[in-house]
Amino acid sequence: SAAVGRGGLAAEASRRRASRRGAASVRCAALEEGRRRTEEEEKTRVVMKFGGSSLATASRLEEVAELIGSRIAEEGLEAVVVVSAMGSTTNGIVSAAERALHGEVDLSSVRALHVETLEALRAPASVGAEVRSLLRDLESLLDGVSMVQELTARTSDLVVSFGERMSCRLVALALNNAGVRASAHDAWTLGLRTTGEFGEAVVDESSYEAIAASLATILENGEVPVVTGFVGRDAHGRVTTLGRGGSDLTATTLAAAAAFDEVQVWKDVDGMMTADPRVVPAARPVPFATYDEAAELAYFGAQVLHPISMMPARKAGVPVRVKNSYNPSHPGSLIAATKPPTDQLVTAVASKRHVTLVDLVSTRMLGSYGFLATVFDVFAQDKVSVDVVATSEVSVSLSLDKKQHLSDDALHKLAAVAQVDIKKDRSIVSFVADVSQSTQLIANVFTVLARNDITVEMISQGASKNNVALVVRDDHAHLAVTLIHDCFFATNSSAASDLPRADRHSPLPV
């Protein structure tokens, strides 16, 4: 019966592929019609970015290719596609690199996914050779790591770049199978150059002109360029990465460089949400947000967009639309310089878990300037970044991300000028809102938190004037998010006060 089941599945897969081939023929005709229809019109130019969850399997690649093809045909778009690695490939490569440090070289799961995808997409010999060559190069690199038992930041960047490099070739293949002329490009071949440290490289804006010229040439040739997200090369030709989530930054960079009309970031959710739906099941999509609001939400825990990815789009004035590749008919969220007027006071609520709160009270007569200057000089020397800050004449409270730690030397220097109180296991709960009405907003929030015995240990309003951040205990964070969300989004305004107290609240995902 298992053999029959497998035979049935194979037949169904064959039927789907045949259906797609038929659809591809129809789409070719539709594309030609779209080209004729827009021949005398100025096309809307978009960068379409797809994350790993949208590209998890060969079937998903085919569906994404159909989605791209239908958008080009129906809307007459001129598109550039930016891709992340397939599924959890980056995590798989990172794990393989860590094992290689201990003498074990095993790429079996990464190899299996990409070889199976090549077979499922009926890859021509040329594409198959490219992907298999990349797999061999990656394995050779890991052999070297295993022999020297060292993984430098430079080598690590080179190792993790292979996921996007294979993915862009497979997505280009899926597009060509769907009747859309496409070509695969490593980002550096378009001229994208980076500066800065390995693992957190910065795009060199002087490379924008070369990027624009490269994209123009490819598009004029009637091709859809499929570009690696996340990776680049520095001035010395060394492969660098933009940090986790950096594919969003690649997309906004290409759009800014080539003055595109829009960036479409295709995820597995219906756009930005009013809260993390794992914490607040009643969370709903945010239809519109400003660049500032999106950046604040990203920084304080909303994981839809990379915190830095808004910067090129904002600077160039390119709108960013967040869409769901599993539900493409949903309008998603539009992020731009301004948004339509609304009666909704709060845009969204986010939280950042496992931060450290540092309270410093001056023990010397330094005055505000001398005290703060001394404190922040210590943090600068220790290369520790601060999340949120609240200050007075003789005291300062600040929070540190879970990756940031003060050295013993830094703590000793701080203790020489201040009483130091460090509180771990804290969370930042942030709400993006119309803070021109901050008095009313904060009053409502503090009232509902007090009813549930949640103590706010620090409050800070950012310089952007659209964000209020509160620091609470980690074990109160999810309830605080739920309470604040219900306070402003529940259909019944009394819902928040009826929620259970914190000591009776059931655990929620970390």
Side-chain angles (χ1 to χ4, degrees):
S1 60
V4 173
R6 286 194 295 271
L9 288 172
E12 174 61 18
S14 177
R15 184 195 65 75
R16 286 200 306 269
R17 285 194 290 270
S19 174
R20 287 193 176 103
R21 284 195 293 272
S25 299
V26 173
R27 190 168 295 106
C28 283
L31 284 167
E32 288 303 317
E33 175 61 25
R35 291 190 187 103
R36 284 194 294 271
R37 212 172 45 236
T38 58
E39 189 174 0
E40 297 179 0
E41 302 173 3
E42 187 175 351
K43 295 182 179 180
T44 298
R45 304 197 306 162
V46 301
V47 176
M48 306 175 74
K49 182 263 174 179
F50 292 88
S53 61
S54 297
L55 306 170
T57 63
S59 177
R60 283 298 301 154
L61 262 63
E62 290 178 318
E63 290 167 13
V64 164
E66 290 176 6
L67 187 158
I68 295 169
S70 66
R71 297 273 160 165
I72 293 173
E74 295 167 11
E75 301 175 25
L77 300 179
E78 196 166 61
V80 172
V81 177
V82 173
V83 296
S84 299
M86 288 184 68
S88 58
T89 294
T90 299
N91 289 336
I93 292 175
V94 169
S95 296
E98 291 171 350
R99 291 195 301 273
L101 276 172
H102 298 91
E104 178 189 358
V105 176
D106 179 13
L107 267 181
S108 56
S109 61
V110 173
R111 180 183 298 279
L113 173 63
H114 290 83
V115 170
E116 288 169 7
T117 302
L118 283 171
E119 294 171 353
L121 297 180
R122 307 175 308 284
S126 58
V127 177
E130 278 191 78
V131 173
R132 287 183 170 87
S133 175
L134 287 168
L135 284 167
R136 285 194 298 272
D137 290 347
L138 175 56
E139 192 163 36
S140 296
L141 196 57
L142 293 180
D143 281 333
V145 170
S146 175
M147 283 188 288
V148 301
Q149 294 190 337
E150 183 181 25
L151 183 62
T152 65
R154 175 181 175 179
T155 302
S156 180
D157 273 13
L158 179 57
V159 166
V160 297
S161 73
F162 281 85
E164 276 72 15
R165 293 160 72 184
M166 292 186 288
S167 175
C168 81
R169 287 155 174 81
L170 292 169
V171 172
L173 168 61
L175 280 167
N176 282 301
N177 286 351
V180 181
R181 284 187 62 197
S183 52
H185 303 270
D186 295 324
W188 55 78
T189 66
L190 302 178
L192 191 148
R193 194 167 58 252
T194 63
T195 62
E197 298 180 2
F198 293 105
E200 294 290 342
V202 176
V203 177
D204 183 351
E205 291 188 19
S206 68
S207 64
Y208 275 21
E209 187 175 345
I211 293 170
S214 297
L215 290 177
T217 300
I218 298 165
L219 292 168
E220 286 169 5
N221 193 40
E223 294 178 346
V224 172
V226 182
V227 185
T228 54
F230 180 53
V231 299
R233 272 184 178 169
D234 65 13
H236 303 288
R238 301 173 299 188
V239 173
T240 58
T241 64
L242 305 177
R244 286 299 183 100
S247 292
D248 293 342
L249 180 55
T250 301
T252 56
T253 295
L254 298 185
F260 270 42
D261 299 299
E262 184 175 285
V263 176
Q264 295 178 356
V265 181
W266 292 83
K267 303 281 188 178
D268 56 1
V269 292
D270 290 333
M272 297 176 62
M273 305 294 286
T274 52
D276 186 339
R278 296 171 302 173
V279 176
V280 184
R284 54 182 187 257
V286 176
F288 302 99
T290 65
Y291 295 128
D292 282 341
E293 289 175 333
E296 294 280 6
L297 286 169
Y299 187 77
F300 287 108
Q303 298 181 2
V304 173
L305 291 171
H306 190 277
I308 303 174
S309 66
M310 288 293 97
M311 294 175 67
R314 176 180 177 172
K315 190 172 182 179
V318 179
V320 178
R321 193 180 301 274
V322 184
K323 298 272 289 178
N324 189 347
S325 66
Y326 291 85
N327 184 22
S329 62
H330 193 282
S333 302
L334 182 64
I335 303 165
T338 60
K339 65 179 185 179
T342 176
D343 294 331
Q344 190 68 54
L345 295 178
V346 172
T347 301
V349 187
S351 64
K352 193 173 188 179
R353 302 290 305 279
H354 311 307
V355 304
T356 298
L357 180 63
V358 181
D359 291 327
L360 303 168
V361 180
S362 177
T363 55
R364 294 190 178 185
M365 300 299 290
L366 295 176
S368 177
Y369 172 79
F371 174 59
L372 294 178
T374 301
V375 167
F376 286 107
D377 185 53
V378 171
F379 279 83
Q381 291 175 18
D382 220 34
K383 296 184 178 179
V384 171
S385 298
V386 173
D387 280 335
V388 294
V389 182
T391 66
S392 71
E393 182 76 12
V394 294
S395 67
V396 57
S397 294
L398 46 86
S399 66
L400 307 179
D401 183 87
K402 62 183 177 182
K403 296 180 181 178
Q404 303 288 330
H405 303 282
L406 286 167
S407 66
D408 290 340
D409 182 54
L411 290 171
H412 179 73
K413 290 177 181 177
L414 290 172
V417 297
Q419 177 184 328
V420 182
D421 184 14
I422 296 178
K423 301 171 182 174
K424 295 186 178 294
D425 300 322
R426 296 302 190 263
S427 290
I428 299 171
V429 176
S430 172
F431 56 96
V432 167
D434 176 8
V435 294
S436 65
Q437 303 188 53
S438 59
T439 302
Q440 175 190 344
L441 292 169
I442 293 171
N444 289 349
V445 168
F446 270 70
T447 298
V448 75
L449 294 182
R451 285 176 183 167
N452 287 267
D453 297 334
I454 296 178
T455 300
V456 175
E457 300 182 1
M458 174 182 164
I459 179 170
S460 176
Q461 182 174 317
S464 64
K465 304 303 182 189
N466 59 19
N467 174 71
V468 177
L470 315 172
V471 175
V472 301
R473 282 173 21 197
D474 258 345
D475 58 347
H476 286 169
H478 284 138
L479 178 57
V481 169
T482 303
L483 290 166
I484 296 170
H485 185 275
D486 283 1
C487 185
F488 296 104
F489 293 99
T491 54
N492 178 2
S493 60
S494 66
S497 61
D498 295 332
L499 285 175
R501 296 166 67 89
D503 56 355
R504 296 200 300 268
H505 192 62
S506 58
L508 285 161
V510 175

